[in-house]
Amino acid sequence: MSSVYITDYIDHPDIEKKVLGDLLSDTLHSDIKVLLVWHEKIDDAFMDHLPLLQGIVRYGVGHDNLDLTAASERGIYACNTPDYGTEEVADTATAMILNIARGVTCYDFLCRNYTDGSWQENTLSHIKRNSDIKIGIIGCGRIGGSVAMRAKALNFQVAMYDPYQPRGYEKMVGIERIDCLEELLGQSDIVSVHTPLTQETRGMIDQRFITAMKPGASLVNTARGCILNNLNDLYHALRSSQLSSCAFDVFPDEPPPHNHPLITAWRNREPWLNGRLIINPHSAYFSSQAYYEMRHKASHNALRILQNEKPYNWLNKGTMQTLAKV
């Protein structure tokens, strides 16, 4: 009987069908053993209707929509799929960093109004050579580490803050380690955030965080939207030039509210913002190859659970009290 169900987002499960075949169900029923999940919230109430549930596999990296405690108490595997799209997100973050460093979108905005007599002479005085710019990376795992390697290749100075990486990791990737977040913020010309969304990081980018940054520094976030406390903090920081530029792929609310003054200024190309805010529609993860890889790997992980094999990327390994048919 079909025993794997896709909860949301995937309308045409052709990739999943190639892996799971008739094991994939078109409907949610009480005999489902594995869920493939995009954004659906999987909590106690959801699991109550699935007495045979053995595993939950999140398509993407983030897993804040999964109740890991409830899954552990029921002996249900909870997994994510972090080993896809690493290159894509790292490339996007690096492109944002390089854009800020070279002023590409600022020039694009400003030169629309340059006259014939003053074209090449209109340079941005704050532009510096890459080797004089320090990139501060918060969270130096798969993606943050990949950004560090790319930034090094572009001749930036690179430092990391990540208390969860073992000592000596910084030597492996060849960058500076800074053990105090405030110190990293105070030294960095561009800060790039690559942390998961946890109780520790939720709302981390707030007024205090921005105030601790080097005056006139820039901020990149391709991690999770709710790491940003609220749009007001960004608005005031950009309006006062406390922040020189921001580049965000993710926001607490998506799409960001059109009536917020920062988003209004961005949409209307208001002169004070002059290309200093870059927004992507939560697309950093995407390439056709990454999209296939994510779905293929998630489906294979579901199959491993059904075949009584321990799954990859097991999130609640340390807290499961019982295992479902190991």
Side-chain angles (χ1 to χ4, degrees):
M1 184 178 180
S2 56
S3 51
V4 180
Y5 180 70
I6 301 171
T7 60
D8 60 317
Y9 192 80
I10 303 295
D11 294 323
H12 304 288
D14 52 331
I15 297 169
E16 292 80 1
K17 275 280 187 184
K18 288 180 181 179
V19 177
L20 295 164
D22 293 338
L23 293 170
L24 191 64
S25 175
D26 293 330
T27 59
L28 183 64
H29 55 77
S30 60
D31 291 331
I32 291 296
K33 295 180 179 178
V34 182
L35 295 172
L36 287 169
V37 179
W38 196 274
H39 292 307
E40 184 74 40
K41 184 174 179 61
I42 309 300
D43 55 13
D44 256 326
F46 199 104
M47 288 182 262
D48 276 341
H49 300 287
L50 303 171
L52 301 184
L53 190 64
Q54 297 177 11
I56 306 162
V57 181
R58 169 76 170 83
Y59 274 109
V61 181
H63 50 82
D64 44 291
N65 58 322
L66 309 184
D67 188 334
L68 301 185
T69 301
S72 295
E73 290 172 350
R74 295 166 184 256
I76 295 170
Y77 292 113
C79 311
N80 65 343
T81 312
D83 47 341
Y84 90 98
T86 299
E87 304 99 309
E88 286 76 7
V89 179
D91 287 344
T92 297
T94 305
M96 289 174 165
I97 289 168
L98 194 55
N99 170 64
I100 290 169
R102 298 303 307 152
V104 176
T105 50
C106 286
Y107 277 127
D108 172 74
F109 183 92
L110 293 168
C111 74
R112 297 161 197 261
N113 299 314
Y114 291 168
T115 63
D116 292 341
S118 61
W119 182 254
Q120 188 177 1
E121 293 76 15
N122 288 282
T123 55
L124 295 170
S125 59
H126 70 271
I127 298 293
K128 298 188 292 186
R129 184 174 289 169
N130 286 1
S131 58
D132 285 343
I133 297 174
K134 189 165 193 174
I135 310 299
I137 294 175
I138 302 175
C140 207
R142 295 176 185 87
I143 295 172
S146 297
V147 173
M149 300 298 286
R150 285 158 169 74
K152 277 183 58 186
L154 291 166
N155 210 29
F156 289 104
Q157 302 172 42
V158 185
M160 62 170 270
Y161 170 77
D162 191 334
Y164 298 100
Q165 289 293 355
R167 308 300 298 182
Y169 173 87
E170 69 280 6
K171 295 184 180 297
M172 181 179 71
V173 294
I175 62 177
E176 179 186 1
R177 184 183 197 118
I178 296 178
D179 291 321
C180 173
L181 176 59
E182 288 73 18
E183 185 179 342
L184 179 104
L185 295 175
Q187 292 183 14
S188 301
D189 299 291
I190 303 173
V191 173
S192 191
V193 180
H194 301 283
T195 70
L197 181 63
T198 65
Q199 289 303 313
E200 184 180 7
T201 63
R202 183 179 293 275
M204 177 178 70
I205 302 173
D206 57 11
Q207 186 175 358
R208 179 179 175 182
F209 180 103
I210 293 170
T211 300
M213 291 177 66
K214 188 176 180 179
S218 296
L219 180 60
V220 174
N221 183 16
T222 54
R224 302 292 284 174
C226 288
I227 294 171
L228 173 65
N229 186 46
N230 62 65
L231 284 173
N232 292 336
D233 295 330
L234 284 190
Y235 173 74
H236 294 302
L238 284 166
R239 190 85 209 212
S240 66
S241 295
Q242 168 68 24
L243 289 179
S244 176
S245 300
C246 288
F248 274 60
D249 182 63
V250 289
F251 286 93
D253 298 304
E254 293 179 352
H258 288 187
N259 60 350
H260 190 278
L262 179 62
I263 304 305
T264 299
W266 169 77
R267 288 172 61 85
N268 294 339
R269 298 177 181 265
E270 291 183 12
W272 72 265
L273 198 52
N274 69 358
R276 297 186 297 130
L277 175 62
I278 311 303
I279 294 177
N280 279 189
H282 202 149
S283 57
Y285 74 95
F286 184 81
S287 71
S288 56
Q289 294 86 352
Y291 190 59
Y292 177 89
E293 185 180 25
M294 172 187 66
R295 293 172 61 184
H296 192 263
K297 286 185 173 182
S299 300
H300 264 290
N301 220 15
L303 187 61
R304 286 181 66 85
I305 294 171
L306 291 177
Q307 293 174 339
N308 295 326
E309 299 179 60
K310 287 189 175 66
Y312 300 122
N313 308 309
W314 181 3
L315 294 167
N316 58 339
K317 184 175 184 178
T319 56
M320 276 181 66
Q321 296 174 0
T322 58
L323 299 180
K325 295 187 178 181
V326 174

